[in-house]
Amino acid sequence: LGPHRCQHVSFGLVQGMKTRRGEVVFLEDVLDEVRARVLENMASAKTTKQVEDPMETAEKVGLAALIIQDFRGLLSSDYQFSWDRALQSRGDTGVFLQYTHARLWSLAQMHGNEQLTDFNVACLQEADAISVLQHLLRYDEVLYQSSQDLQPKHIVSYLLTLSHLAAVAHRSLPVRGSAPELAQARLCLFQAARSVLAAGMKLLGITPVTQM
């Protein structure tokens, strides 16, 4: 990407960002702080599995939390930073995006992680499945919108909604125990949701994790 294609986008102030080391905030301090906080949360979470590299995972999850908090609104707007809000695992946060991606990845691994392309779409009749499908169809529109006004908030909002819809569908549309044709259709649906979620996260500078 050449400099002639770059465009400066003005940004607002982040208010209330303090680390445990004091008032003056440096990026290195913030990154150290978010990594430490995520590690603490991972260690205390009963549902957390043993991850291969906790430090690396904590860094990716922590960066996701910072990026999503920063990109949720207009770039030019000031906002009040909150560590507690940024690191919530079930709210509209980067932690929730990472958690959803890891769950969908785990689901695929549990069922062989095959690249499924042939399935009977007529099996996806439930309202929760249709909601995910309809939302997936909006991805191109959201990318175009963000490219026009140079605001990542459209992608952030889209990915958060996708994660909530996928979480609901994951609870209501079981793969294990379903008839083979139905199971394959649902796996394809979750595979598509994970693929779009990962692609959108990468556009925002987030590296999706596969374990949390």
Side-chain angles (χ1 to χ4, degrees):
L1 186 63
H4 63 286
R5 295 188 60 193
C6 293
Q7 184 173 335
H8 176 72
V9 179
S10 60
F11 52 90
L13 296 174
V14 181
Q15 300 167 337
M17 178 176 272
K18 299 181 195 174
T19 68
R20 286 176 278 200
R21 289 173 57 178
E23 294 284 346
V24 179
V25 180
F26 298 99
L27 179 59
E28 184 179 357
D29 294 335
V30 173
L31 296 179
D32 288 344
E33 178 94 7
V34 73
R35 189 189 304 114
R37 285 176 180 260
V38 173
L39 274 173
E40 285 178 10
N41 291 347
M42 287 169 57
S44 62
K46 294 179 181 178
T47 57
T48 297
K49 296 178 182 178
Q50 189 65 37
V51 298
E52 293 176 9
D53 190 335
M55 189 69 74
E56 182 181 349
T57 298
E59 183 162 324
K60 290 174 180 176
V61 173
L63 281 173
L66 294 176
I67 288 170
I68 294 302
Q69 175 122 311
D70 202 41
F71 284 177
R72 280 187 62 188
L74 285 170
L75 292 179
S76 58
S77 298
D78 300 346
Y79 73 91
Q80 188 73 28
F81 181 84
S82 165
W83 283 107
D84 290 339
R85 187 170 63 246
L87 296 175
Q88 285 177 356
S89 60
R90 291 294 184 275
D92 286 340
T93 65
V95 180
F96 179 61
L97 293 186
Q98 291 283 32
Y99 176 76
T100 303
H101 182 272
R103 286 189 76 191
L104 294 177
W105 178 275
S106 177
L107 177 67
Q109 298 298 308
M110 196 183 305
H111 294 278
N113 196 29
E114 301 174 18
Q115 289 298 311
L116 304 172
T117 54
D118 183 25
F119 69 99
N120 183 2
V121 72
C123 291
L124 301 175
Q125 295 294 325
E126 296 87 356
D128 292 338
I130 292 170
S131 293
V132 174
L133 286 170
Q134 289 176 332
H135 195 65
L136 290 173
L137 289 172
R138 293 192 53 241
Y139 185 51
D140 286 351
E141 167 199 330
V142 169
L143 294 184
Y144 178 76
Q145 190 176 10
S146 283
S147 73
Q148 292 303 294
D149 65 7
L150 303 179
Q151 294 292 335
K153 72 185 185 90
H154 308 301
I155 300 174
V156 170
S157 177
Y158 175 86
L159 295 179
L160 289 169
T161 299
L162 175 61
S163 292
H164 284 293
L165 292 174
V168 170
H170 186 263
R171 289 193 297 270
S172 68
L173 307 174
V175 174
R176 187 187 296 275
S178 298
E181 189 179 41
L182 179 58
Q184 181 149 319
R186 288 175 175 175
L187 272 177
C188 281
L189 176 70
F190 292 125
Q191 183 182 85
R194 189 203 63 78
S195 177
V196 171
L197 177 57
M201 290 166 73
K202 289 172 185 175
L203 280 176
L204 298 173
I206 298 169
T207 302
V209 300
T210 56
Q211 289 180 303
M212 273 185 68

